[in-house]
């Protein structure tokens, strides 16, 4: 799913501070590193909003992934 500017559903969830959508997209394999046509990753879109909830979602999932990888 890409919009005309190359952004993904994850970009849009970050821009809208939609933590529920972001959480689902990341849990089901969404890629937080894909840039749009101007080279902006979703984290850049997150930083344009005053809400830091999406950053918290991303890094809490990242932390969980790291903990799981240590077990295997």
């Amino acid at each position: 799913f890409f919009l005309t500017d190359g952004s993904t559903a994850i970009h849009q969830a970050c821009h809208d501070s939609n933590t529920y959508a972001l959480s689902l997209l990341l849990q089901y394999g969404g890629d937080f590193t894909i840039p749009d046509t101007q080279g902006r990753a979703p984290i850049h879109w997150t930083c344009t909003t005053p809400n830091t909830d999406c950053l918290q979602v991303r890094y809490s999932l990242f932390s969980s992934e790291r903990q799981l990888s240590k077990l295997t």
Side-chain angles (χ1 to χ4, degrees):
F1 169 75
F2 289 92
L3 298 175
T4 56
D5 62 357
S7 62
T8 66
I10 291 179
H11 284 89
Q12 194 62 48
C14 290
H15 180 267
D16 296 342
S17 298
N18 188 335
T19 56
Y20 179 73
L22 178 61
S23 182
L24 285 176
L25 289 164
L26 293 174
Q27 285 177 19
Y28 286 95
D31 189 343
F32 200 74
T33 64
I34 296 174
D36 63 14
T37 56
Q38 294 185 19
R40 297 173 300 195
I43 194 167
H44 298 118
W45 287 48
T46 300
C47 293
T48 64
T49 66
N51 188 331
T52 61
D53 292 344
C54 285
L55 286 175
Q56 292 172 356
V57 166
R58 172 60 189 118
Y59 291 108
S60 69
L61 288 172
F62 178 73
S63 178
S64 297
E65 291 167 3
R66 289 188 63 187
Q67 293 299 323
L68 287 174
S69 69
K70 289 179 183 179
L71 297 174
T72 57

